[in-house]
Amino acid sequence: MKSYQHILLAIDFSTHSTDVSSQASDIARRYQAKLSVCHIIEDIAITDLAYEPMISFDMEIKQAMMEAGKRQLSELSGKLEVPADNQWLEFGNPVHDIVRIADEQRIDLIVIGSHGRHGIRRLLGSTANGVLHHATCDVLAVRLTE
Amino acid sequence: MKSYQHILLAIDFSTHSTDVSSQASDIARRYQAKLSVCHIIEDIAITDLAYEPMISFDMEIKQAMMEAGKRQLSELSGKLEVPADNQWLEFGNPVHDIVRIADEQRIDLIVIGSHGRHGIRRLLGSTANGVLHHATCDVLAVRLTE
């Protein structure tokens, strides 16, 4: 049996996401495992080719989202004592990039928040479900109460 | 933050399911949590109304499956030191009944094997995915290598 040695907390900074980070930190402590953190900002193209000004608008929004993400990730990593080398902040597809980072970093447990079956996430399919489907390691889905 | 106090191992006795039980036992030990075990035998009606003898055939198969399940569950529970009061063996719908038992027993973590995206389970949707979707508590999906 494998004991967890490197845990990846995939965080989206939504409501109650501190529950997920506390749980990840606790399990890392109990397994004496290394903890890494990633935050993938969903890259939704909002550019409309018919309106050129949208392109710069898009770039500005991306820049602002990146800045906000950087601030939140840095604050969280400080709390969890995760060094800079174990932090990932990227634009992309959350499911794809969480699984990719987990593979690259030889993660053995991904900790992620799960919103359950309510609301729009039921229709769209949640990130937690996608990660569970594609991950090559174990996945701990922390139930978020909404 | 909640610490896990009662963990439910949902076991299907498929190949590599000992990986799941070892992981469940280990996490229960690290959290000093109570461990319960359930095994839900999928209730597939194989009765064909045009052939009456099928009914008794069906009953015999069910009986045999129940006996086999009982033996496997008892053996596993012995290994994991799970008392009889914390064992569940039922015919039913695995997703529905795992979630129901978890709710009834106030489980805070379900541990279940996950087969990933390969083979027929990708088409049918796995039990792990269904449990993640419907559970009201945390879910640890243990990746099974096939």
Side-chain angles (χ1 to χ4, degrees), chain A residues 50-109:
Chain A
Y51 297 93
E52 245 184 83
M54 287 292 281
I55 297 170
S56 64
F57 180 58
D58 182 9
M59 285 307 292
E60 273 170 33
I61 285 183
K62 275 183 126 170
Q63 194 70 35
M65 286 168 86
M66 201 61 163
E67 286 305 320
K70 206 178 281 180
R71 209 170 41 243
Q72 287 171 304
L73 190 65
S74 155
E75 199 180 306
L76 176 69
S77 300
K79 264 189 215 156
L80 304 180
E81 297 176 2
V82 172
D85 280 357
N86 297 343
Q87 303 169 23
W88 286 270
L89 174 65
E90 295 183 13
F91 262 99
N93 173 304
V95 170
H96 175 269
D97 290 310
I98 291 166
V99 171
R100 180 186 51 77
I101 291 168
D103 284 344
E104 284 172 3
Q105 303 301 320
R106 309 177 72 116
I107 295 294
D108 35 36
L109 177 68

Side-chain angles (χ1 to χ4, degrees), chain B residues 13-34:
Chain B
F13 297 116
S14 65
T15 332
H16 304 294
S17 70
T18 49
D19 295 353
V20 187
S21 57
S22 306
Q23 206 59 263
S25 166
D26 187 40
I27 197 166
R29 188 178 55 75
R30 289 178 195 262
Y31 280 84
Q32 298 185 287
K34 185 162 85 173

Side-chain angles (χ1 to χ4, degrees), chain B residues 14-77:
Chain B
S14 65
T15 332
H16 304 294
S17 70
T18 49
D19 295 353
V20 187
S21 57
S22 306
Q23 206 59 263
S25 166
D26 187 40
I27 197 166
R29 188 178 55 75
R30 289 178 195 262
Y31 280 84
Q32 298 185 287
K34 185 162 85 173
L35 182 62
S36 287
V37 186
C38 75
H39 174 49
I40 312 298
I41 303 169
E42 191 147 17
D43 196 1
I44 305 168
I46 57 160
T47 323
D48 185 339
L49 292 177
Y51 298 93
E52 243 182 85
M54 286 292 282
I55 295 170
S56 64
F57 181 57
D58 181 10
M59 284 307 291
E60 273 169 33
I61 286 185
K62 275 183 125 170
Q63 195 69 33
M65 287 169 84
M66 202 61 164
E67 287 305 321
K70 207 179 278 181
R71 208 169 43 243
Q72 288 171 305
L73 190 64
S74 155
E75 197 179 308
L76 176 69
S77 299

Side-chain angles (χ1 to χ4, degrees), chain A residues 1-4 19 22-24 26-28 30-32 109 114 116-117 121-122 125-126 128-144, chain B residues 1-4 19 22-24 26-28 30-32 109 114 116-117 121-122 125-126 128-144:
Chain A
M1 193 213 51
K2 56 191 185 287
S3 170
Y4 301 127
D19 295 353
S22 305
Q23 206 58 265
D26 186 39
I27 197 167
R30 288 178 195 264
Y31 279 83
Q32 298 186 286
L109 177 68
S114 169
R117 60 182 153 165
R121 284 168 206 271
R122 184 182 166 86
S126 72
N129 254 296
V131 167
L132 175 58
H133 210 81
H134 294 282
T136 56
C137 65
D138 292 4
V139 176
L140 173 62
V142 176
R143 172 66 53 200
L144 301 174
Chain B
M1 191 213 49
K2 54 189 186 289
S3 171
Y4 300 127
D19 295 353
S22 306
Q23 206 59 263
D26 187 40
I27 197 166
R30 289 178 195 262
Y31 280 84
Q32 298 185 287
L109 177 69
S114 169
R117 61 182 151 164
R121 283 167 206 272
R122 182 182 168 85
S126 72
N129 254 296
V131 168
L132 176 58
H133 211 81
H134 294 282
T136 56
C137 65
D138 293 3
V139 176
L140 173 62
V142 176
R143 173 65 56 201
L144 301 173

